[in-house]
């Protein structure tokens, strides 16, 4: 079995598709935020790899082809934004202020948590870009002296939490305005959160897609400023 897997060019892709399909079925059946296809797929892949003693590199050798779809998928986020262009123009100032407020809130919360848990400067910097896309987060972490590998983990966790709990959080705090929902989700949990926002509604998805790009640019500048805080 192990030898067959190592020689298979489609093992990683097949495993990913099957586990994500199982996750989708679970989501439709249980209709619970915790029955999330992403979480279920990750858990099942880990269990499978550990059970059959398959190392990550073997899995990633064929699964990495999925990453080629990230660029066109990201570009496609511009389509719902274009469809909501008039809405963006009417609320441009409020949207930009909302995204900036989210970026600042993220930086302040990381600073306070770093102080509370007595993290060193490198770990603090590592967590600063947790709410942006992986490419931007890694670049910021490397430039400022953090640990890029841990930054990727924090970004994944932020995305998963946003994907699972963003709608619950909006309902809990009675955030009903679609623009506010989209801006909040995209700013806090990048592409994975945006996937959820697009499920919620067209406006939410469009605003969340916009927030990913704008928050990424703002985070590069803001993280550089927050990184100067020593404690």
């Amino acid at each position: 079995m192990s030898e067959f897997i190592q020689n298979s060019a489609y093992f990683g892709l097949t495993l990913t598709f099957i586990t994500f399909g199982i996750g989708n079925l679970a989501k439709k059946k249980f209709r619970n935020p915790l029955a999330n296809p992403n979480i279920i797929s990750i858990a099942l892949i880990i269990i499978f790899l550990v059970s059959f003693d398959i190392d990550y590199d073997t899995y990633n050798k064929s699964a990495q082809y999925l990453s080629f779809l990230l660029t066109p998928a990201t570009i496609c986020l511009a389509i719902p934004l274009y469809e909501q262009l008039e809405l963006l123009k009417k609320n441009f100032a409020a949207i930009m202020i909302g995204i900036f407020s989210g970026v600042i809130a993220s930086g302040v919360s990381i600073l306070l948590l770093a102080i509370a848990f007595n993290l060193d400067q490198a770990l603090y910097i590592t967590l600063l870009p947790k709410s942006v896309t992986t490419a931007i987060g890694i670049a910021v972490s490397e430039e400022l002296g953090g640990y890029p590998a841990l930054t990727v983990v924090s970004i994944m966790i932020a995305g998963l939490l946003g994907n699972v709990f963003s709608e619950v959080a909006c309902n809990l705090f009675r955030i009903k305005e679609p623009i506010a929902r989209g801006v909040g989700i995209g700013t806090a949990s990048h592409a994975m959160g945006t996937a959820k926002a697009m499920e919620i509604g067209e406006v939410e998805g469009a605003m969340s897609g916009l927030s990913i790009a704008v928050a990424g640019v703002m985070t590069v500048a803001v993280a550089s400023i927050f990184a100067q805080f020593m404690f």
Side-chain angles (χ1 to χ4, degrees), residues 15-57:
L15 180 61
T16 303
F17 287 144
I18 291 175
T19 55
F20 192 80
I22 293 172
N24 266 326
L25 291 174
K27 177 184 177 181
K28 292 177 181 178
K29 181 176 178 60
F30 298 106
R31 298 188 178 277
N32 187 296
L34 294 179
N36 183 277
N38 294 296
I39 294 178
I40 292 173
S41 179
I42 291 172
L44 290 177
I45 289 172
I46 291 173
I47 292 171
F48 186 91
L49 297 182
V50 171
S51 299
F52 290 95
D53 195 24
I54 302 168
D55 60 77
Y56 175 76
D57 289 336

Side-chain angles (χ1 to χ4, degrees), residues 80-150:
L81 179 61
Y82 177 77
E83 293 174 344
Q84 303 295 333
L85 194 57
E86 290 302 317
L87 191 63
L88 170 62
K89 291 178 180 178
K90 291 179 182 178
N91 299 277
F92 183 79
I95 291 170
M96 292 300 110
I97 293 172
I99 296 172
F100 182 72
S101 299
V103 172
I104 295 297
S106 176
V108 171
S109 64
I110 293 299
L111 175 62
L112 294 177
L113 287 171
I115 295 173
F117 290 96
N118 196 30
L119 301 182
D120 61 35
Q121 191 72 9
L123 277 175
Y124 161 59
I125 290 172
T126 296
L127 298 176
L128 276 177
K130 67 171 180 59
S131 294
V132 298
T133 58
T134 303
I136 296 176
I138 290 176
V140 170
S141 184
E142 287 179 341
E143 179 69 22
L144 299 179
Y147 305 114
L150 291 180

